[in-house]
Amino acid sequence: MDHKQKRMIAIGETLKAYTDETKPGPWNVTWSGGKDSTVTLDVVFQAVLLLKKNNPEALIREIFITTANTGLDFVTDPLKQSEMKKIEELIKREGLPMTIVEVQAPLEKSFMYLTVGKGYPLPKNRMNRWCTERLKIEPSQKRLKEISPVLTIMGVRLSESAARRESIESRRESEYFADGAFYPIVNFTLDDVWSYLVREGMAWGDAEELGQLYKDATGECGLRQRKAGAGEKNDDPCGARTGCIICPVVKIDKSSQEFAKSHPWLQPYVDLRNLMIDMYKDPRNKAGRKRDGKVLEYGQGTFTIKARMALYEAVRQAEADNEELALRYGAEPQKLIYSKELDELIQQQWQTDMDEHPWLEDADEIGLFYETKIKGLANGYQLVWNIHYDMSK
């Protein structure tokens, strides 16, 4: 089955669900601006436009298009903002019952405030991505409570990965539906997605810029000759990682590094990401205590105020370098500390911590050796050489 057949089936399933009078209420379409969510959103548009043409009286269900602004996605966000304007123009021109809703976390839960302001540890892995919870999930869920959708449409696919397949199948009630969710492109492969975008385009325009974005993030992008399926990999051409420019979860951010080659003004943030990871690995930057004062081991605990101040200067320098390069290349500068209010909140937090949590100001100095807990040892501790000790003392 080629992409055209899958496209028609997806549109048909969407029409069937939209006109199902037994399940009244609004829909929510989650849209990130990436390839899968864009195809999914277009499927919904095609269904709605088809209904308008043939049976406009049935066009009564409201559809919300929700997207999250993390303040950190410097790769896809400029294109997403541009696409949003085109989508809004299409909605207005056709008089469709659709609304774009952009959500953003409050300053108190922004990434820069929690890390540079409060000294939170960096997210380490996919199982410990506290940033996703605070920057995307919480603000989205808050808005969804207000919308109270009867169905949420998501661009997930069985062939994305083994983990994705397991997740979908564990929730699925039927081929296209789970509990309160609808997956119109669940059977699409990576090739199907790109064939759709390249050959069909979207209701609001072509996919040329989106394809170029993925090409810039991989160094190559083109539909492969073989048919992708259950064995397709996340690192396939056109399957680049898109998201936060300073994401510390990926070990080596090849996508951002590659993207910066064609967008040099983003290189300062690629370098900043690596600097942040190195700073958080350095035990001298950890207070050895929690915020409540509980004593931990050397190299553990909250990022010290002193280290946060140094990180703040590094962020500001990266922003200045970004602005200089952006102006040189005719691009729009992008800031991590994006408002005066956020800047003030960060610095106020340092002062509050110095007044109320003085143990967070700097790490305790230790000698040439220190004890650390080691699993499996009888006494639970082992003497470790402090590689940061100044031997000249």
Side-chain angles (χ1 to χ4, degrees):
M1 189 183 299
D2 64 16
H3 82 277
K4 286 182 177 292
Q5 292 171 298
K6 291 182 181 179
R7 177 177 183 266
M8 292 309 299
I9 291 172
I11 294 171
E13 291 293 333
T14 304
L15 272 171
K16 192 190 304 181
Y18 186 90
T19 55
D20 184 355
E21 295 180 356
T22 66
K23 296 180 179 178
W27 277 7
N28 172 64
V29 183
T30 59
W31 179 58
S32 67
K35 62 186 188 304
D36 293 333
S37 67
T38 294
V39 167
T40 301
L41 181 57
D42 186 67
V43 164
V44 174
F45 264 103
Q46 297 299 336
V48 170
L49 288 169
L50 195 61
L51 194 60
K52 182 196 173 187
K53 180 180 178 181
N54 295 282
N55 188 14
E57 292 79 14
L59 206 62
I60 58 174
R61 191 190 299 272
E62 195 169 7
I63 299 175
F64 293 91
I65 304 163
T66 57
T67 186
N69 184 348
T70 63
L72 302 170
D73 189 356
F74 294 169
V75 175
T76 59
D77 193 62
L79 176 59
K80 186 172 74 169
Q81 296 298 324
S82 173
E83 295 293 280
M84 274 200 289
K85 292 179 182 177
K86 296 177 185 177
I87 294 170
E88 286 174 342
E89 289 171 2
L90 174 62
I91 291 171
K92 185 177 181 180
R93 184 170 66 249
E94 296 291 340
L96 303 176
M98 304 175 78
T99 305
I100 295 179
V101 178
E102 187 175 29
V103 300
Q104 186 167 18
L107 295 182
E108 293 79 8
K109 293 193 176 182
S110 67
F111 187 83
M112 284 290 106
Y113 171 66
L114 293 177
T115 53
V116 182
K118 296 194 76 171
Y120 271 36
L122 292 180
K124 292 181 180 179
N125 51 56
R126 296 184 185 278
M127 301 300 293
N128 183 30
R129 285 195 302 193
W130 56 259
C131 49
T132 302
E133 182 73 25
R134 288 166 174 79
L135 301 181
K136 290 186 176 182
I137 297 175
E138 287 182 6
S140 295
Q141 287 181 339
K142 181 180 179 181
R143 188 67 177 93
L144 287 179
K145 283 184 180 179
E146 300 169 6
I147 296 172
S148 190
V150 66
L151 204 61
T152 293
I153 295 84
M154 304 169 67
V156 297
R157 300 182 290 110
L158 285 168
S159 63
E160 286 181 65
S161 66
R164 175 68 80 185
R165 175 179 287 272
E166 183 180 351
S167 174
I168 293 172
E169 292 183 338
S170 68
R171 299 181 60 217
R172 258 197 323 190
E173 298 171 346
S174 62
E175 187 172 7
Y176 296 97
F177 295 88
D179 181 25
F182 174 39
Y183 310 138
I185 68 166
V186 69
N187 295 321
F188 281 43
T189 64
L190 185 63
D191 281 343
D192 291 328
V193 168
W194 281 107
S195 292
Y196 185 128
L197 290 170
V198 172
R199 297 172 190 173
E200 312 300 332
M202 296 90 70
W204 59 90
D206 60 50
E208 185 176 344
E209 289 183 86
L210 182 61
Q212 186 64 43
L213 184 150
Y214 278 88
K215 179 179 180 181
D216 289 343
T218 57
E220 59 174 319
C221 184
L223 299 173
R224 292 151 300 152
Q225 296 300 310
R226 68 176 180 83
K227 191 67 177 174
E232 78 180 15
K233 299 178 181 178
N234 287 332
D235 58 356
D236 265 319
C238 296
R241 183 196 80 82
T242 56
C244 302
I245 191 70
I246 56 170
C247 178
V249 174
V250 287
K251 292 181 180 179
I252 301 176
D253 193 353
K254 295 180 181 178
S255 291
S256 293
Q257 290 174 356
E258 196 67 38
F259 196 78
K261 291 179 182 177
S262 55
H263 299 70
W265 55 93
L266 293 182
Q267 187 61 49
Y269 292 132
V270 174
D271 296 337
L272 176 66
R273 169 193 177 274
N274 298 330
L275 173 66
M276 289 179 70
I277 292 173
D278 288 342
M279 288 185 71
Y280 274 78
K281 284 180 179 178
D282 191 333
R284 293 170 296 180
N285 291 329
K286 305 287 182 65
R289 299 192 187 199
K290 289 186 175 182
R291 294 186 60 81
D292 62 6
K294 181 180 178 181
V295 178
L296 303 172
E297 291 187 63
Y298 172 68
Q300 294 183 350
T302 305
F303 213 50
T304 68
I305 300 169
K306 181 180 177 182
R308 285 179 246 166
M309 290 178 172
L311 180 55
Y312 173 88
E313 293 302 323
V315 170
R316 284 308 200 189
Q317 184 60 55
E319 289 179 334
D321 294 342
N322 165 262
E323 182 174 11
E324 180 183 346
L325 288 167
L327 294 175
R328 186 185 305 174
Y329 285 92
E332 191 71 27
Q334 295 161 288
K335 288 186 177 294
L336 289 169
I337 301 176
Y338 48 80
S339 70
K340 181 181 179 183
E341 292 76 16
L342 178 55
D343 189 17
E344 291 175 349
L345 192 65
I346 289 171
Q347 300 195 50
Q348 285 171 3
Q349 184 62 52
W350 298 341
Q351 189 59 54
T352 298
D353 280 351
M354 282 190 279
D355 293 341
E356 301 178 6
H357 311 96
W359 53 85
L360 297 178
E361 184 172 358
D362 201 0
D364 292 333
E365 288 189 18
I366 60 172
L368 185 57
F369 298 96
Y370 64 92
E371 283 189 339
T372 186
K373 291 180 181 177
I374 299 293
K375 272 188 176 181
L377 290 184
N379 62 4
Y381 288 88
Q382 178 174 309
L383 204 60
V384 177
W385 174 38
N386 177 16
I387 62 172
H388 301 289
Y389 183 72
D390 185 358
M391 299 291 286
S392 64
K393 289 181 180 180

